[in-house]
Amino acid sequence: MSDLSVSSTPTPEFGSKDEQPNGSLWLSIKKAVSRFSDWFVIQSNAVKFLLIAVALMIPATGLYSAVLWQKQAAVAEQVRAMASADGIAAFDTTQPVVFGTGSVLSFLQSNPVDRITVIYKPLMWNVSERFILVSSGGKQYAYYPSDMETKIFADKAVSAPWSGKLSFIPRADLNASSLELLEKLDQGFAGARPQSEKDAWKAGVSGVLSAALTLGLLGFLAFQLKGQFKSLKFIEPAQVSGSLTDLVGMDDIKGEVAQIKDQYMRRAEYAEYGINKPFNVMFSGPAGTGKTKLASYLAKELNLPILFHSAVNLETGYVGGGANTLSRIVAMAKRRKRCIVFLDEAQDLFMKRGGHRKFDDDTQNMLLAVLDGVRTKSDAEIIWIVASNFNSEQMQMDEAMLRRFQMKVDFRLPNREERLAIIQHYLSQRAEKVLPDLDLRHLVEITEGRSPADLETIVNQAGITAVQAGIMIGADTLMQAAERVMVGNVNTNTTKERERDRRVIAIHEWGHFLVDFEAERKKAGGNWDQVLAEMKTIKISLKANPRNNALGFVFHKQGANLLKTKSDIEHDVRVLLGGMANEELFFGEEGTTNGAHNDITRVTKLLHHAVGEMGMYRKTRLNFGALANDGHGSKSLDEETRSIMEAQSERLYGETKAMLGRLKPLTEHLAGKLMDAGEMSLREALHEIRSFEAACYTFNSKVGLQPAA
């Protein structure tokens, strides 16, 4: 019931920055964890297993890479420590070089040493390659120590007797002959490289793999959560502005919702009386009456998170698609244990099963099972609210689905007092820009049959018009906004330079108006003030209306009568036929246009309703249209119904044409005035009629019109 809320604070859009009050880091973390949990619970077992495996590989590869780098750093530090020793000698190429046997430490302990030359080359930022040449007995013994030997060698070099004979030479400083010798040593030690060198590439690859897995997992989760955030997301009660007590009007509906709250809050007491928990609720009624917002208000009253989802998204077009989506919603709801799931626009789910679309039946069967399951004690306490614009008078509801709902709330359009309160409420939100002491009675009358959402749109449109014109919101601004919302965007360019079309349209629209005018004047007994108050017409215009492809229109308010008598239906038919009848009077039968297409279509539907469904003009009262809806009959008209409809249409058209024939001079006068002005209000039209009649007493007497008051 967002359209009826007194709270002026707008509800934040789902996913907006306003969702995080006070920018709390802890709240943000909790919400992120909750969103991830909702996403994780609706995934298949394969996706869950893959996600867990990748999550475990990230720290494993990172840890492995860190260990290797640590080992390499330790070895590099040892080499740097060795390189800091005093004494640097040249590489002696005069002595022969042979491969040493055993370990280099054993050789140093058992043989006299003349000189120890360490030739090294950096491999990475913390890893080096090293050859050790031990000069002894006129030969140089070549060793390629392992990591362990290098560590021990570095430790003993501090206090060993041969520590003063150490010298370090970078490989890059060697001459060509020395490099040629070392290349032969490289071939000889090809299979004996130290583990640090072998681990160098492993550490790099492991680090890159860990980073790639981390970035890939974060990107995958961000993409998945973004999609899930838009389609399936629970709204916390703190994010909902307004409450049930802030609603304007609709006390009967608020009472129903209060009952739902009472049964949920005191479900243990109700259970003692054998009353089931009201966890399945059906909202039904016209669009724009606030079903969605009322559900959010209920969630706030009960302090429960709520999931909004359109049932239209369940129509995937393939078998099992909608059912799978429902399964994911149920999984998310069960994780929350206590929550509200709101399915909007669910009228297709209420229709009888057994249609031609198998995927629709699967979705309905799944919903039936879900609505049964949430009532068990072992299951989660979930309130399912299913909202629709379903009209049980025109469509038959599936009985199994109907039985699943413990409570049904029927929404309706606001009455006169409620419309006034709603309009005043929306105007109060911008009170500084509204003229004082506005008379809203006329606006309330013309919005008969309009929803609270329409009323809000009218006030908003009035505000837009006022801003653009640089004025305050007044009665005229509101009426212009009402015309814009209820009729649509109109223009004069379509018929501006087409004089013939403008005349045809003027004659046509005055035909509608004068038929209605004559009936209202007869009921008012010549009281012009009563005619002004009772007539539905607000404005007659030659402006084109793209919304219904009309080249002109009569702007009128809805009737206040909910029940239509036979006389009312006949009057509506006459008014609709007045346009074409006037065209025939002025331009002949050959001059009638297709501008009456919408009128004839509505006349056909009205007469079919009267004859085929209500049994009017028949000896018996039978609704043959119901047989077609049940699938037991044909949708085509039977000959008797067609014959009666044609006869009544011909009779009513003849009566309309005869009445307008008497008013032909008046129509000619009014058409000229309308073509000059472009549009005329009801007050202006009645003024022109009274002025014309006052100047034409002879005409009044001749055609039988009542004399002007």
Side-chain angles (χ1 to χ4, degrees):
M1 305 269 299
S2 60
D3 308 304
L4 306 178
S5 172
V6 171
S7 174
S8 60
T9 303
T11 301
E13 294 181 359
F14 305 152
S16 67
K17 295 181 180 179
D18 296 335
E19 288 182 3
Q20 300 180 13
N22 303 324
S24 172
L25 178 61
W26 175 242
L27 179 60
S28 300
I29 295 174
K30 288 178 62 178
K31 290 172 63 177
V33 172
S34 178
R35 283 179 54 192
F36 173 77
S37 301
D38 287 338
W39 174 84
F40 186 79
V41 76
I42 65 177
Q43 302 305 310
S44 62
N45 291 332
V47 174
K48 293 178 180 178
F49 175 79
L50 180 62
L51 184 66
I52 294 174
V54 172
L56 292 176
M57 286 180 63
I58 291 175
T61 53
L63 181 62
Y64 179 68
S65 178
V67 170
L68 292 180
W69 281 337
Q70 185 177 12
K71 291 171 59 179
Q72 293 164 0
V75 173
E77 183 63 28
Q78 295 165 6
V79 172
R80 283 193 294 270
M82 292 168 60
S84 64
D86 296 332
I88 299 178
F91 178 23
D92 187 1
T93 59
T94 60
Q95 293 183 349
V97 178
V98 297
F99 290 102
T101 58
S103 67
V104 63
L105 294 175
S106 299
F107 184 86
L108 292 175
Q109 291 176 357
S110 58
N111 294 282
V113 177
D114 298 329
R115 183 173 57 188
I116 302 174
T117 304
V118 179
I119 303 173
Y120 65 93
K121 180 183 73 172
L123 295 178
M124 296 175 63
W125 59 89
N126 60 357
V127 181
S128 299
E129 177 189 50
R130 63 272 176 192
F131 284 100
I132 298 179
L133 298 178
V134 182
S135 179
S136 176
K139 296 181 180 180
Q140 295 187 86
Y141 295 89
Y143 287 94
Y144 203 154
S146 65
D147 296 337
M148 183 63 69
E149 284 184 298
T150 300
K151 184 178 185 308
I152 298 174
F153 180 82
D155 292 340
K156 289 185 175 295
V158 178
S159 58
W162 39 263
S163 61
K165 302 177 181 180
L166 279 169
S167 63
F168 293 86
I169 302 176
R171 184 164 180 166
D173 295 344
L174 297 177
N175 56 30
S177 59
S178 298
L179 288 175
E180 183 179 356
L181 176 61
L182 287 180
E183 288 176 357
K184 294 179 180 180
L185 292 177
D186 283 337
Q187 296 176 1
F189 288 113
R193 289 287 189 270
Q195 189 64 35
S196 61
E197 181 187 352
K198 296 179 182 180
D199 290 344
W201 69 272
K202 296 180 182 179
V205 171
S206 179
V208 172
L209 179 61
S210 178
L213 288 175
T214 302
L215 294 176
L217 181 61
L218 292 177
F220 173 77
L221 291 178
F223 177 79
Q224 290 289 321
L225 291 178
K226 183 178 180 181
Q228 181 258 344
F229 181 78
K230 292 180 178 179
S231 59
L232 299 177
K233 176 181 177 293
F234 275 95
I235 306 300
E236 298 301 325
Q239 298 173 239
V240 179
S241 64
S243 65
L244 289 175
T245 58
D246 296 331
L247 299 181
V248 177
M250 304 290 186
D251 292 336
D252 50 344
I253 296 176
K254 288 190 291 184
E256 295 284 351
V257 176
Q259 183 179 348
I260 298 174
K261 176 185 176 182
D262 184 68
Q263 286 187 262
Y264 186 83
M265 300 299 292
R266 298 195 300 147
R267 50 191 177 276
E269 298 179 35
Y270 279 91
E272 295 177 359
Y273 289 83
I275 300 174
N276 292 328
K277 296 174 290 186
F279 287 173
N280 301 337
V281 184
M282 180 174 65
F283 286 176
S284 62
T289 49
K291 297 183 288 294
T292 303
K293 197 59 181 181
L294 185 57
S296 65
Y297 286 170
L298 178 62
K300 185 174 183 179
E301 289 286 324
L302 298 177
N303 196 28
L304 297 176
I306 182 170
L307 170 67
F308 292 93
H309 192 73
S310 175
V312 176
N313 295 331
L314 301 179
E315 301 176 9
T316 57
Y318 58 89
V319 176
N324 290 336
T325 303
L326 273 177
S327 298
R328 292 194 292 269
I329 293 175
V330 172
M332 292 176 60
K334 286 183 177 180
R335 193 190 71 80
R336 300 265 179 168
K337 294 184 179 180
R338 292 185 178 182
C339 61
I340 296 178
V341 177
F342 181 79
L343 293 180
D344 199 6
E345 303 295 339
Q347 45 268 15
D348 287 346
L349 297 178
F350 290 136
M351 299 181 68
K352 277 200 167 187
R353 288 167 291 169
H356 298 293
R357 302 195 299 181
K358 179 66 167 59
F359 54 87
D360 283 346
D361 288 349
D362 289 340
T363 305
Q364 287 179 274
N365 291 334
M366 178 64 186
L367 182 59
L368 288 171
V370 167
L371 295 179
D372 264 348
V374 297
R375 292 165 55 187
T376 61
K377 293 183 179 180
S378 60
D379 215 331
E381 295 180 353
I382 306 169
I383 297 180
W384 285 81
I385 301 179
V386 184
S388 74
N389 303 329
F390 193 90
N391 189 338
S392 58
E393 295 181 357
Q394 299 178 359
M395 298 177 287
Q396 283 194 322
M397 181 181 291
D398 189 274
E399 292 297 330
M401 185 71 71
L402 184 61
R403 289 194 298 269
R404 295 302 195 276
F405 294 95
Q406 289 77 35
M407 181 165 292
K408 304 173 184 64
V409 181
D410 295 319
F411 287 70
R412 57 175 175 80
L413 297 172
N415 56 33
R416 183 189 300 267
E417 291 75 15
E418 290 168 341
R419 292 197 305 277
L420 177 60
I422 294 169
I423 295 173
Q424 289 175 337
H425 154 60
Y426 288 123
L427 289 175
S428 66
Q429 296 178 352
R430 43 185 71 80
E432 296 180 356
K433 299 298 181 182
V434 179
L435 293 175
D437 302 326
L438 281 182
D439 186 359
L440 300 175
R441 289 177 299 176
H442 193 37
L443 180 61
V444 171
E445 290 177 358
I446 69 172
T447 52
E448 175 74 31
R450 296 292 173 172
S451 68
D454 293 331
L455 301 178
E456 181 183 11
T457 304
I458 290 173
V459 177
N460 289 338
Q461 181 62 45
I464 294 173
T465 304
V467 171
Q468 294 173 347
I471 59 176
M472 301 281 283
I473 299 177
D476 293 338
T477 313
L478 289 169
M479 291 301 296
Q480 293 175 11
E483 179 183 340
R484 179 69 178 270
V485 173
M486 299 168 66
V487 177
N489 186 22
V490 296
N491 67 85
T492 58
N493 296 327
T494 304
T495 58
K496 184 177 182 180
E497 298 179 355
R498 299 160 66 178
E499 195 68 18
R500 173 187 172 276
D501 289 346
R502 295 180 75 244
R503 177 171 170 78
V504 172
I505 297 167
I507 296 298
H508 182 100
E509 300 303 338
W510 281 120
H512 293 311
F513 175 84
L514 290 175
V515 173
D516 190 31
F517 166 73
E518 281 297 291
E520 291 296 339
R521 179 156 69 169
K522 184 177 180 180
K523 288 193 296 183
N527 187 332
W528 287 90
D529 291 334
Q530 184 176 344
V531 172
L532 180 63
E534 296 295 332
M535 279 199 69
K536 300 177 184 178
T537 301
I538 300 170
K539 179 186 291 186
I540 305 141
S541 177
L542 293 182
K543 295 180 180 179
N545 183 5
R547 180 178 295 181
N548 56 9
N549 297 322
L551 299 177
F553 65 91
V554 175
F555 180 29
H556 57 81
K557 58 188 176 183
Q558 300 290 329
N561 296 330
L562 299 178
L563 299 177
K564 292 279 189 180
T565 65
K566 182 178 178 181
S567 177
D568 292 334
I569 295 176
E570 288 190 349
H571 173 69
D572 291 342
V573 171
R574 290 191 184 98
V575 172
L576 290 170
L577 293 175
M580 174 168 276
N582 234 14
E583 288 184 22
E584 185 175 346
L585 284 171
F586 278 83
F587 309 111
E589 186 176 355
E590 298 297 328
T592 55
T593 66
N594 60 353
H597 175 268
N598 291 332
D599 300 333
I600 299 303
T601 301
R602 293 172 61 188
V603 166
T604 305
K605 292 180 179 179
L606 278 174
L607 288 177
H608 179 263
H609 172 69
V611 179
E613 297 177 355
M614 298 303 300
M616 295 180 181
Y617 310 105
R618 293 178 183 269
K619 295 180 179 179
T620 57
R621 294 294 184 263
L622 297 176
N623 181 4
F624 292 100
L627 299 179
N629 293 334
D630 280 341
H632 300 299
S634 173
K635 291 186 178 180
S636 60
L637 289 178
D638 61 277
E639 289 300 324
E640 182 183 4
T641 301
R642 182 191 299 273
S643 176
I644 296 175
M645 288 176 60
E646 290 177 349
Q648 296 305 318
S649 175
E650 184 177 357
R651 176 180 67 84
L652 294 172
Y653 183 77
E655 295 174 359
T656 302
K657 185 178 177 182
M659 187 267 291
L660 289 174
R662 299 194 303 270
L663 301 176
K664 191 172 181 180
L666 176 60
T667 304
E668 187 72 49
H669 170 75
L670 293 174
K673 292 293 184 180
L674 181 59
M675 291 177 67
D676 292 337
E679 61 182 22
M680 294 175 63
S681 67
L682 174 60
R683 186 179 297 275
E684 292 170 342
L686 295 181
H687 174 73
E688 288 296 333
I689 294 174
R690 296 185 69 179
S691 299
F692 180 80
E693 292 180 349
C696 302
Y697 291 106
T698 305
F699 171 78
N700 291 341
S701 176
K702 181 178 179 181
V703 300
L705 289 178
Q706 297 179 15

